[in-house]
Amino acid sequence: MSVRRLAEDQFQPAAFAFSDENAVWAEKTIQKYPAGRQQSAVIPLLMRAQEQDGWVTRPAIEKIADMLDMAYIRVLEVATFYTQFQLHPVGTRAHVQVCGTTPCMLRGSEKLMGVCRSKIHQHPFERNAEGTLSWEEVECLGACVNAPMVMIGKDTYEDLTPERLEEIIDTFAAGNGTSVKVGPQIDRHLSSPEGGPTTLLDDVTVTRTRAGKAPAAADGAPVPPSEAARPKSTDAETNASLKTPATSPKASAKNAKAAEVQPLSGTAASEPAPKATAAETTAKPSLTDKNRPAGIEKPAAPDDLKMISGVGPKIEATLHEIGIFTFAQIAGWKKAEREWVDSFLNFRGRIERDDWVKQAKALAKGGEAEYIKVFGKKPR
Ligand code: FES
């Protein structure tokens, strides 16, 4: 981390003034804060001064301090604390801030700084011969998940390789910086996994085969590569999934019809069931299956099923739709019933893994106190 000092006198201008437009903006910004709190505008004003002149000069710091009725040292403290403020003249087309904190360092930030040394200047804060580029090392910029990364202006460029950073620097040097894609530089959406999402795939039901073939989405959609790379299910898991009632397209249609016409316990019969996707229609067990746990009418004070680890608001609402409202009901589920619900929720064994029955038994017996006694921790 560099020592942050004001630029030497030779670089400092004699005075600073906001442009007419920026002066109007600054006045409006200051007025946003209650009387006596105008100094809260110090960061926006310093940023505007930097955007106007390219860096934060000593006269700008003093001018802003006067405008906000602050001691010069207080504004200097802010300007020298945040690396977003440039205290020296920087490249007119790009000032590259390379994150050198641990995650980025482990993922190759040293090599990125090597690129900056060779393409811009051997030393940070020194400009290239044309005065268009400069660079520095900074601390974590908050995009560690896509390390290594750099920031140029207000944008971040992530998942970098030395080669990609060279291309980016060349593009900025040519004055075409706005054409560079910001954010991840690989096949990744924001901070999602490489190659596509692997969780919360509401519309994709992944099935595994006993033969261990590559998994395929039930609706024919491609399975993300990371999903394909996951360990295969155990025999127990496979057997459990094979016990899920198999349904032909014809049967599925019948089941879907049954779902429409069968009044759900405790649910207004007129309330339309959520539309099932093609995958869900195929995978879900029949609502008329003998293993479906018995539902009840909604009691005046249903239990808070979300206290069970693994049950969130969405799952609780689904349980309500099939007439499950109390801990006692869940505590009494037999294996076949658990499998039916697990399959209905497309949980792939989670009910067993989270041991809903044991949790529900404790909650039904003595609420939170009993739960703590059994599990040694509070329920959710
Ligand atoms: S460590 Fe580099 S962005 Fe956080």
Side-chain angles (χ1 to χ4, degrees):
M1 185 68 197
S2 57
V3 177
R4 291 177 53 77
R5 297 186 194 287
L6 291 181
E8 296 78 16
D9 286 349
Q10 68 193 80
F11 295 110
Q12 297 290 353
F16 170 84
F18 277 118
S19 65
D20 291 347
E21 185 189 344
N22 283 341
V24 171
W25 173 89
E27 276 312 312
K28 275 192 188 159
T29 301
I30 294 169
Q31 285 166 17
K32 285 182 186 169
Y33 300 95
R37 303 287 181 193
Q38 283 74 17
Q39 58 183 263
S40 299
V42 65
I43 287 180
L45 263 59
L46 282 168
M47 275 307 288
R48 187 56 69 108
Q50 175 165 290
E51 284 161 10
Q52 179 180 299
D53 287 359
W55 59 292
V56 177
T57 63
R58 178 161 54 207
I61 289 172
E62 293 171 354
K63 171 74 177 175
I64 290 167
D66 291 339
M67 290 171 73
L68 300 177
D69 197 19
M70 293 171 73
Y72 291 169
I73 185 66
R74 294 282 170 247
V75 183
L76 184 67
E77 284 168 351
V78 174
T80 53
F81 182 80
Y82 295 106
T83 53
Q84 73 195 64
F85 297 121
Q86 300 306 325
L87 305 175
H88 298 251
V90 292
T92 51
R93 290 185 176 159
H95 176 66
V96 183
Q97 295 183 301
V98 185
C99 172
T101 304
T102 312
C104 283
M105 185 264 285
L106 291 172
R107 299 268 295 166
S109 64
E110 281 295 338
K111 286 186 178 159
L112 301 186
M113 284 184 254
V115 168
C116 292
R117 284 189 192 97
S118 69
K119 289 199 85 75
I120 301 175
H121 197 284
Q122 185 62 24
H123 302 295
F125 295 110
E126 298 289 344
R127 289 169 289 175
N128 62 349
E130 298 77 27
T132 52
L133 302 170
S134 56
W135 73 279
E136 69 174 305
E137 178 185 350
V138 295
E139 297 296 324
C140 178
L141 289 169
C144 331
V145 69
N146 295 349
M149 56 79 68
V150 304
M151 177 177 261
I152 301 175
K154 292 180 177 173
D155 291 316
T156 57
Y157 302 85
E158 305 150 19
D159 291 306
L160 287 172
T161 59
E163 295 73 26
R164 180 59 187 146
L165 181 58
E166 283 188 23
E167 290 169 4
I168 291 173
I169 290 175
D170 287 344
T171 310
F172 272 92
N176 298 324
T178 52
S179 68
V180 180
K181 172 185 181 257
V182 301
Q185 302 296 307
I186 60 171
D187 179 21
R188 180 205 294 282
H189 177 65
L190 302 179
S191 56
S192 298
E194 287 182 47
T198 58
T199 56
L200 304 176
L201 301 172
D202 281 344
D203 293 325
V204 179
T205 301
V206 178
T207 55
R208 293 184 172 88
T209 66
R210 179 183 283 279
K213 284 179 188 160
D219 63 355
V223 176
S226 47
E227 179 69 31
R230 284 183 186 168
K232 300 218 169 15
S233 56
T234 62
D235 275 348
E237 283 172 326
T238 309
N239 290 338
S241 76
L242 289 173
K243 278 183 189 167
T244 302
T247 48
S248 65
K250 225 176 180 178
S252 299
K254 204 174 155 194
N255 292 345
K257 190 85 184 155
E260 274 176 35
V261 298
Q262 183 190 356
L264 298 174
S265 304
T267 310
S270 58
E271 189 178 306
K275 257 192 177 171
T277 63
E280 284 170 342
T281 306
T282 306
K284 276 194 176 180
S286 168
L287 288 165
T288 55
D289 190 294
K290 64 179 171 37
N291 292 322
R292 175 185 167 181
I296 60 172
E297 292 296 326
K298 185 176 184 179
D303 289 333
D304 180 3
L305 302 182
K306 297 188 294 304
M307 290 175 80
I308 296 174
S309 173
V311 178
K314 199 173 165 188
I315 298 300
E316 184 183 52
T318 306
L319 292 172
H320 286 178
E321 285 177 12
I322 56 172
I324 308 298
F325 292 96
T326 68
F327 299 133
Q329 284 177 281
I330 297 174
W333 285 349
K334 301 282 179 292
K335 187 168 188 293
E337 291 170 324
R338 295 196 295 272
E339 284 176 356
W340 185 93
V341 178
D342 197 87
S343 180
F344 186 76
L345 297 174
N346 194 19
F347 259 19
R348 296 179 230 158
R350 197 164 129 198
I351 289 179
E352 293 298 323
R353 286 197 299 277
D354 290 348
D355 209 340
W356 281 19
V357 168
K358 190 174 176 185
Q359 291 188 67
K361 272 183 183 162
L363 289 164
K365 185 178 174 193
E368 184 173 309
E370 181 68 18
Y371 191 99
I372 294 171
K373 214 160 96 184
V374 175
F375 294 97
K377 62 178 184 181
K378 278 185 166 188
R380 288 155 41 108

